[in-house]
């Protein structure tokens, strides 16, 4: 099996940039700069005007190791191969020849220069895809760490090494022009300065040197306090400013005239500033970082500094908890270890928003602005709950944080963190024991959006008002459990509250806690890890410590299903909108889909990294997953909505197939689709599941239900006036004598047509009667039954009536028809057809059967078979009717 039967990889969400430096191209036809960022196995192209995502490239075999661009192509290096792309999506050229991974590239006119990890340099002819020149450096003495083309230096390329030395080569002749001794430190980056012959050199020690390569002299030197220089860029809009980036995410702007610091951007990024480009003749600078952000800064501050103008960002740490929000399935809420809560849109990147970082005092944190470390930042969110009912009136998201008892509120409508901090009075510092470490472990927001339920590791469960943040009630005498609360939920009408803990028990409480005792207690075999609820169907999925999942119907308060198959700790679970599927993920890297009505495993697949959270779209169109060590989320489409998919019960002990995570827009090729179809043959249900079960024919009711009333139907459908014979002209029209023209005698043609009369003695058995007569010796009625299934109601009635002697049949043929009905009843197949055929036969030939002894003596056999079959069916029908009626009146 190639992969999942239900879910197809669609694309990745939340990816903006990584450690590969950004590239900027100016397109004359658009009169706009395009920004290219790398996101792993593909690259994104953004328009600088609105930071809108224009295109996503195809997938590379592995992660992109280097990227560059010119006016016509975007060049990407993947392992030892280089690819040239047009318009961001069309692959035009492929360059193969390197033996090691390529990590540096630069376009040079009609050539492309590439350097691999072994310091082997190749100069490619772009159109011909052939090597024009090849240079080999010793990785021990001159390991190339950067390269550039000095302005106005024809056919010259400058190579820098991690030992601190530089060499200038003529790539036309393949000769070394000059060697620079270096500065006893590795060179991390080099950049052309606005002045001719001058280049900026960034060292691993933090020194920035402006060096004249024509005279081999240092013009000026600066020192960056934050270590290695990751990137350098120069303004070209008339201001002598040089910008340098650091590994800590700070940016320094140096005034080259004054030879001092002009301004700084502290904590411009949460990680190293690996990409930085000043736009030509504009007061704008673009920066990117492995923290998954792309930022555009504008120099319009009064002190000459830069402020943030546009931003495209995702999580800078792995998402921990993700959920679809709203009924349309277009928006996803996610939280990560960077303490942020974000909204990702599945349709367009421009609707992605950030609700900000969790803070103990949001207003004070906002006044501080960007700082190296915000002391007011709260620990990461580990779980949240949201509702749309009251999102316009007050906060509609409640979140719990790692290691904290405080529950924070957020507003989806206002896109910000709320001011409320939910904490019971008993857990405030003046009331709580110093040695007691109180942590909120689970949270649930009621469907009405008015109340939030919070469970704690101390065994308490409290209810708060979502609008005011006031404490309303708690459950139990002093606490619900003597162990941590692992799950809490409520029904859609706020009638009951469900809690689960480490003591194996699930308790049901009245929402308005008038009493102190639970209504019902269900004891499970293992401790509970978490709850996942589907309010519309009153189903609750409880994940247990032995890696199994129990489905509880909290209307009847019983365990209705139990699924086992995962081999490691369960991380998340989701119920489909129609509550038919349960989708679970585990640390064994598998994602499994369980069919709740049948209780079987219908789909499973495995990924490279374990899934930590997943959510099913409210419309059932997609599944979104978050995985360990991945900054983005991954969208999977539900194939069953647009394609016929056969789901068979799988064995939970089988090893799931490995599926590649979708890192960009993924469209399966025709070959892949054919392979899926070949691997998934259409399931054909057996004609009879079990011989002990009564099986219906599956024919439409119009083929058998009206057989007993066929005479009445014919009478109603009979036309009021008898049909008139058509006026048929004779072959030779009679003529009338006339002196002028020939005249025809039309009156003579109005004669009544003759009728063909068939003697009774010539009527023989019909085809159906002959088939019945042929079964006298074999008693094999399969062909007879198949023939009856092809006939319409009128024809069946006619054939059964013709079985009598006066209709051209015989008593022996009538007896065979009774045996055929007996055969159908004993086989438990086509039960409704057998009943209908028998009713028509008795109605048509009742008097004759009373006279014929052979037919009369055979009726007890039919009666016994009929009684056994009907009593069995009647018992099941009455049982199901009673159960349904009981559920209606509960």
């Amino acid at each position: 099996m190639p992969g999942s039967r239900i879910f197809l990889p669609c694309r990745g969400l939340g990816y903006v940039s990584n450690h590969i430096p950004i590239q900027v191209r100016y397109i004359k036809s658009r009169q706009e700069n395009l920004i290219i960022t790398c996101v792993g196995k593909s690259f994104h192209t953004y328009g600088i005007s609105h930071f809108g995502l224009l295109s996503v490239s195809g997938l590379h075999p592995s992660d992109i190791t280097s990227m560059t661009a010119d006016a016509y192509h975007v060049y990407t290096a993947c392992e030892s191969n280089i690819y040239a792309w047009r318009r961001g999506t069309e692959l035009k050229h492929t360059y193969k020849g390197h033996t090691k991974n390529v990590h540096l590239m630069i376009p040079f006119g009609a050539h492309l220069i590439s350097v691999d990890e072994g310091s082997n340099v190749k100069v490619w002819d772009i159109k011909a895809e052939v090597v024009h020149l090849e240079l080999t450096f010793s990785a021990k003495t001159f390991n190339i760490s950067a390269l550039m083309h000095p302005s106005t230096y024809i056919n010259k390329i400058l190579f820098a090494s991690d030992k601190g030395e530089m060499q200038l080569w003529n790539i036309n002749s393949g000769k070394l022009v000059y060697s620079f001794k270096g500065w006893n430190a590795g060179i991390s980056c080099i950049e052309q300065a606005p002045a001719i012959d001058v280049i900026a050199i960034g060292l691993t020690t933090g020194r920035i040197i402006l060096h004249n390569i024509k005279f081999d002299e240092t013009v000026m030197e600066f020192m960056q306090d934050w270590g290695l220089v990751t990137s350098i860029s120069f303004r070209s809009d008339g201001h002598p400013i040089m910008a340098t980036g650091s590994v800590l995410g700070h940016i320094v702007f140096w005034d080259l005239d004054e030879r001092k610091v002009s301004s700084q951007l502290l904590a411009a990024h949460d990680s190293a500033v690996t990409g930085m480009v000043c736009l030509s003749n504009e007061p704008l600078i673009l920066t990117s970082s492995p923290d998954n952000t792309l930022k555009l800064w504008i120099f319009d501050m009064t002190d000459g500094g830069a402020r943030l103008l546009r931003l495209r960002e995702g999580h800078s740490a792995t998402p921990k908890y993700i959920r679809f929000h709203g009924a349309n399935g277009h928006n996803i809420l996610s939280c990560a270890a960077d303490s942020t809560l974000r909204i990702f849109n599945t349709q367009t990147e421009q609707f992605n928003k950030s609700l900000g970082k969790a803070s103990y005092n949001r207003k004070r944190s906002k006044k501080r602005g960007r700082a190296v470390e915000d002391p007011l930042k709260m620990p990461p969110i580990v779980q949240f709950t949201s509702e749309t009912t009251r999102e316009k009136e007050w906060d509609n998201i409640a979140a719990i944080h790692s290691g904290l008892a405080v529950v924070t509120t957020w507003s989806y409508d206002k896109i910000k963190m709320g001011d409320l901090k939910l904490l019971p009075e008993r857990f405030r510092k003046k009331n709580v024991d110093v040695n007691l470490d109180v942590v909120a472990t689970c949270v649930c927001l009621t469907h009405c959006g008015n109340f939030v339920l919070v469970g704690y590791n101390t065994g308490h469960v409290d209810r708060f008002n979502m609008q005011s943040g006031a404490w309303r009630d708690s459950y139990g005498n002093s606490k619900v459990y003597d162990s941590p609360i692992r799950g809490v939920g409520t029904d859609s009408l706020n009638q009951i509250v469900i809690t689960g803990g480490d003591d194996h028990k699930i308790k049901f409480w009245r929402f308005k806690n008038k009493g102190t005792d639970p209504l019902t207690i269900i004891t499970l075999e293992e401790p509970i890890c978490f709850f996942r609820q589907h309010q519309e169907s009153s189903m609750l999925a409880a994940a247990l410590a032995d890696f199994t999942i129990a489905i509880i119907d909290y209307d009847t308060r019983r365990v209705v299903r139990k699924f086992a198959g995962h081999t490691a700790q369960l991380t998340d679970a989701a119920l489909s909108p129609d509550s038919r599927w349960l989708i679970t993920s585990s640390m064994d890297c598998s994602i499994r889909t369980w069919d709740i009505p049948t209780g079987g495993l219908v789909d499973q697949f495995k990924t490279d990294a374990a899934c930590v959270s997943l959510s099913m779209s409210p419309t059932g169109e997609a599944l979104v997953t978050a995985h360990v060590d991945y900054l983005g989320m991954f969208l999977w489409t539900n194939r069953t909505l647009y394609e016929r998919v056969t789901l068979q019960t799988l064995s939970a002990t089988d090893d799931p197939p490995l599926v590649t995570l979708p890192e960009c827009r993924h469209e399966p090729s025709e070959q892949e689709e054919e392979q899926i179809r070949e691997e998934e043959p259409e399931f054909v249900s057996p004609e009879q599941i079990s011989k002990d079960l009564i099986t219906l024919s599956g024919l439409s009711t119009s083929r058998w239900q009206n057989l007993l009333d066929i005479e009445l139907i014919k009478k109603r459908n009979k036309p009021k006036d008898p049909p008139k014979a058509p006026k048929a002209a004779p072959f030779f029209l009679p003529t009338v004598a006339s002196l002028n023209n020939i005249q025809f005698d039309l009156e003579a043609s109005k004669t009544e047509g003759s009728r063909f009369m068939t003697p009774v003695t010539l009527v023989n058995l019909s085809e159906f009667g002959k088939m019945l007569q042929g079964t006298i010796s074999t008693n094999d009625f399969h062909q007879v039954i198949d023939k009856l299934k092809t006939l319409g109601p009128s024809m069946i009635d006619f054939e059964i009536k013709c079985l009598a002697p006066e209709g051209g049949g015989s008593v022996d043929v009538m007896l065979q028809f009774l045996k055929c009905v007996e055969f159908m009843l004993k086989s438990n197949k086509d039960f409704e057809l057998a009943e209908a055929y028998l009713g028509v036969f008795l109605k048509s030939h009742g008097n004759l059967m009373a006279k014929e002894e052979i037919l009369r003596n055979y009726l007890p056999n039919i009666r016994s078979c009929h009684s056994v079959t009907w009593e069995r069916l009647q018992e099941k029908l009455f049982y199901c009717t009673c159960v349904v009626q009981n559920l209606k009146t509960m």
Side-chain angles (χ1 to χ4, degrees), residues 11-18 20-25 33-48 51-60 64 67 69 74 76 85 87-89 292 294 312-314 344 348-349 352 632-633 662-666:
R11 61 191 178 97
L13 296 174
Y15 282 103
V16 179
S17 69
N18 61 5
I20 303 298
I22 59 173
Q23 302 295 321
V24 177
R25 303 170 60 206
N33 285 297
L34 300 186
I35 310 162
I36 297 97
T37 64
C38 179
V39 292
K41 294 182 180 179
S42 62
F43 63 87
H44 291 178
T45 303
Y46 296 89
I48 199 169
F51 260 34
L53 180 63
L54 302 179
S55 65
V56 178
S57 74
L59 279 176
H60 292 69
I64 297 173
M67 187 169 63
V74 175
T76 58
W85 304 80
R87 302 178 185 88
T89 56
N292 203 22
L294 174 66
R312 180 72 65 209
E313 62 179 341
F344 292 95
T348 173
E349 299 277 343
N352 293 353
M633 297 165 290
E663 296 200 17
C664 74
R665 301 177 188 272
H666 177 79

Side-chain angles (χ1 to χ4, degrees), residues 196-248:
I196 298 175
D197 301 328
V198 177
I199 64 169
I201 304 168
L203 304 181
T204 56
T205 58
R207 292 172 63 192
I208 304 106
I209 298 168
L210 294 179
H211 195 76
N212 189 310
I213 59 174
K214 183 176 182 179
F215 301 103
D216 195 7
E217 294 178 355
T218 297
V219 178
M220 62 182 72
E221 185 176 333
F222 302 96
M223 186 65 186
Q224 187 173 263
D225 294 335
W226 302 297
L228 185 144
V229 181
T230 56
S231 55
I232 302 174
S233 187
F234 291 88
R235 291 183 63 179
S236 57
D237 58 339
H239 296 269
I241 298 295
M242 176 180 68
T244 60
S246 68
V247 291
L248 298 181

Side-chain angles (χ1 to χ4, degrees), residues 379-575:
I381 298 172
V382 294
Q383 185 182 344
F384 60 82
T385 177
S386 67
E387 284 291 341
T388 59
T389 308
R390 296 285 187 174
E391 69 177 18
K392 298 292 184 181
E393 285 81 5
W394 52 74
D395 295 347
N396 66 318
I397 303 172
I400 58 178
H401 298 256
S402 176
L404 294 183
V406 175
V407 175
T408 59
T409 62
W410 304 70
S411 174
Y412 183 90
D413 182 59
K414 298 177 181 177
I415 316 177
K416 68 172 187 176
M417 182 181 180
D419 297 326
L420 300 179
K421 302 290 190 298
L422 308 182
L423 185 66
E425 188 66 28
R426 74 169 76 89
F427 292 146
R428 299 190 184 275
K429 291 184 179 180
K430 60 181 180 181
N431 298 329
V432 72
D433 186 359
V434 178
N435 298 324
L436 184 62
D437 187 15
V438 182
V439 176
T441 55
C442 53
V443 64
C444 175
L445 192 62
T446 59
H447 184 65
C448 63
N450 291 311
F451 301 100
V452 60
L453 303 167
V454 185
Y456 300 90
N457 64 338
T458 57
H460 296 86
V461 175
D462 291 271
R463 186 173 84 241
F464 298 87
N465 184 278
M466 197 64 181
Q467 181 181 11
S468 63
W471 180 87
R472 292 305 185 199
D473 203 355
S474 62
Y475 296 87
N477 289 321
S478 60
K479 59 175 70 175
V480 176
Y481 299 93
D482 294 327
S483 60
I485 303 295
R486 297 303 179 190
V488 61
T490 180
D491 66 334
S492 58
L493 300 177
N494 290 355
Q495 297 297 313
I496 59 171
V497 172
I498 310 113
T499 59
D502 275 349
D503 60 353
H504 306 205
K505 294 180 180 179
I506 295 178
K507 298 182 180 180
F508 296 84
W509 311 78
R510 289 187 180 91
F511 186 84
K512 295 180 179 179
N513 189 28
K514 297 178 181 179
T516 57
D517 297 328
L519 299 173
T520 309
I521 299 177
I522 299 176
T523 303
L524 302 179
E525 299 175 356
E526 293 290 333
I528 298 164
C529 297
F530 57 81
F531 279 174
R532 296 295 180 260
Q533 193 175 352
H534 191 272
Q535 291 184 341
E536 289 79 3
S537 62
S538 302
M539 284 190 181
L540 181 75
L544 307 181
D546 62 349
F547 318 143
T548 61
I549 309 100
I551 303 294
I552 295 125
D553 185 340
Y554 53 80
D555 280 347
T556 59
R557 297 170 192 175
R558 293 175 54 191
V559 177
V560 295
R561 292 288 186 275
K562 192 169 184 181
F563 302 111
H566 285 289
T567 58
Q569 178 184 355
L570 294 167
T571 57
D572 206 352
L575 286 152

Side-chain angles (χ1 to χ4, degrees), residues 490-708:
T490 180
D491 66 334
S492 58
L493 300 177
N494 290 355
Q495 297 297 313
I496 59 171
V497 172
I498 310 113
T499 59
D502 275 349
D503 60 353
H504 306 205
K505 294 180 180 179
I506 295 178
K507 298 182 180 180
F508 296 84
W509 311 78
R510 289 187 180 91
F511 186 84
K512 295 180 179 179
N513 189 28
K514 297 178 181 179
T516 57
D517 297 328
L519 299 173
T520 309
I521 299 177
I522 299 176
T523 303
L524 302 179
E525 299 175 356
E526 293 290 333
I528 298 164
C529 297
F530 57 81
F531 279 174
R532 296 295 180 260
Q533 193 175 352
H534 191 272
Q535 291 184 341
E536 289 79 3
S537 62
S538 302
M539 284 190 181
L540 181 75
L544 307 181
D546 62 349
F547 318 143
T548 61
I549 309 100
I551 303 294
I552 295 125
D553 185 340
Y554 53 80
D555 280 347
T556 59
R557 297 170 192 175
R558 293 175 54 191
V559 177
V560 295
R561 292 288 186 275
K562 192 169 184 181
F563 302 111
H566 285 289
T567 58
Q569 178 184 355
L570 294 167
T571 57
D572 206 352
L575 286 152
S576 62
D578 58 358
S579 69
R580 184 177 182 86
W581 293 339
L582 174 69
I583 307 162
T584 58
S585 61
S586 169
M587 291 304 294
D588 61 7
C589 299
S590 67
I591 298 176
R592 303 178 188 237
T593 304
W594 312 84
D595 189 71
I596 296 177
T598 62
L601 176 67
V602 294
D603 185 59
Q604 60 179 344
F605 64 95
K606 183 181 289 187
T607 55
D608 293 328
C611 175
V612 295
S613 184
L614 57 83
S615 180
M616 189 74 175
S617 168
T619 59
E621 295 176 355
L623 174 76
V624 63
T625 60
H627 298 259
V628 175
D629 295 333
Y630 283 87
L631 299 183
M633 297 165 290
F634 303 99
L635 207 62
W636 311 75
T637 56
N638 184 0
R639 286 178 56 202
T640 61
L641 295 184
Y642 59 86
E643 186 178 346
R644 185 173 181 178
V645 179
T646 301
L647 297 178
Q648 299 179 7
T649 303
L650 306 175
S651 174
T653 58
D654 293 342
D655 191 23
L658 184 65
V659 176
T660 304
L661 293 174
E663 296 200 17
C664 74
R665 301 177 188 272
H666 177 79
E667 296 181 359
S669 62
E670 295 181 0
Q671 184 177 2
E672 290 177 349
E673 291 181 351
E674 291 178 0
Q675 183 180 4
I676 291 174
R677 294 189 183 98
E678 290 176 359
E679 294 289 340
E680 296 183 6
E682 183 177 352
F683 175 76
V684 179
S685 177
E687 185 179 358
Q688 190 175 21
I689 299 175
S690 173
K691 293 183 178 180
D692 297 330
L693 298 177
I694 295 174
T695 305
L696 303 182
S697 65
L699 296 179
S700 62
T701 55
S702 62
R703 302 288 293 275
W704 56 270
Q705 196 172 36
N706 299 324
L707 279 173
L708 292 176

Side-chain angles (χ1 to χ4, degrees), residues 145-146 160-162 164-166 183 185-190 201-204:
S145 59
S161 75
D162 58 1
E165 299 177 353
M166 296 193 304
W183 295 268
I187 298 175
S188 57
C189 58
I190 54 178
I201 304 168
L203 304 181
T204 56

Side-chain angles (χ1 to χ4, degrees), residues 735-744:
T735 59
V736 178
S738 174
L739 297 175
N740 297 323
N741 296 321
I742 299 176
Q743 295 183 359
F744 297 99

